[in-house]
Amino acid sequence: MRTRRSDGSALPATPTAWLDAFSAAVARDSGDVCSRLLSLAFRSVIEGDAHESCTAYYARAQVLSIRVLRIILRTGATAALEVRYWPRGGYSTFVLDRQADGWQAVAIVPGGPLPI
């Protein structure tokens, strides 16, 4: 059983757990998405591109059903989760890095599946 950090915000223990936490946080708590599930560098990119706070950006995000196409692990420290949005059919790849206490997103890449 993974212990929580002293502030109660342990990162998800697996890439799949990260995706579950991200989906739930988009639906219920955009602050959790930004403060815990995304890296600081990635939050900065979102805020620069969207010209608003990360929390405001994810507060407007639409919750969509997804299907996981595949999970690719590289050297145990980076994972790519390829998903397809259902029923519309768009694709995204969530790029995660393993931190000392779990997984955190460093990028979300729109578009089709990655070549192998």
Side-chain angles (χ1 to χ4, degrees):
M1 187 167 171
R2 181 173 285 274
T3 59
R4 290 187 161 285
R5 292 190 300 200
S6 60
D7 65 0
S9 59
L11 294 173
T14 67
T16 305
W18 179 90
L19 186 59
D20 291 342
F22 178 79
S23 297
V26 167
R28 294 189 302 256
D29 186 358
S30 61
D32 187 42
V33 171
C34 298
S35 67
R36 184 172 70 100
L37 300 174
L38 306 181
S39 71
L40 178 59
F42 186 42
R43 286 193 306 264
S44 295
V45 169
I46 289 172
E47 291 172 350
D49 288 350
H51 303 290
E52 64 183 333
S53 74
C54 177
T55 303
Y57 177 81
Y58 277 104
R60 289 189 342 278
Q62 204 175 19
V63 178
L64 300 171
S65 296
I66 60 170
R67 292 192 179 180
V68 176
L69 299 175
R70 64 183 164 166
I71 299 172
I72 303 166
L73 289 173
R74 296 284 183 231
T75 66
T78 302
L81 286 85
E82 294 181 352
V83 302
R84 180 174 181 224
Y85 298 100
W86 197 256
R88 294 189 207 155
Y91 296 88
S92 285
T93 300
F94 296 92
V95 181
L96 311 179
D97 276 347
R98 185 192 317 263
Q99 307 301 310
D101 62 343
W103 291 87
Q104 199 171 48
V106 295
I108 299 173
V109 182
L114 298 173
I116 295 179

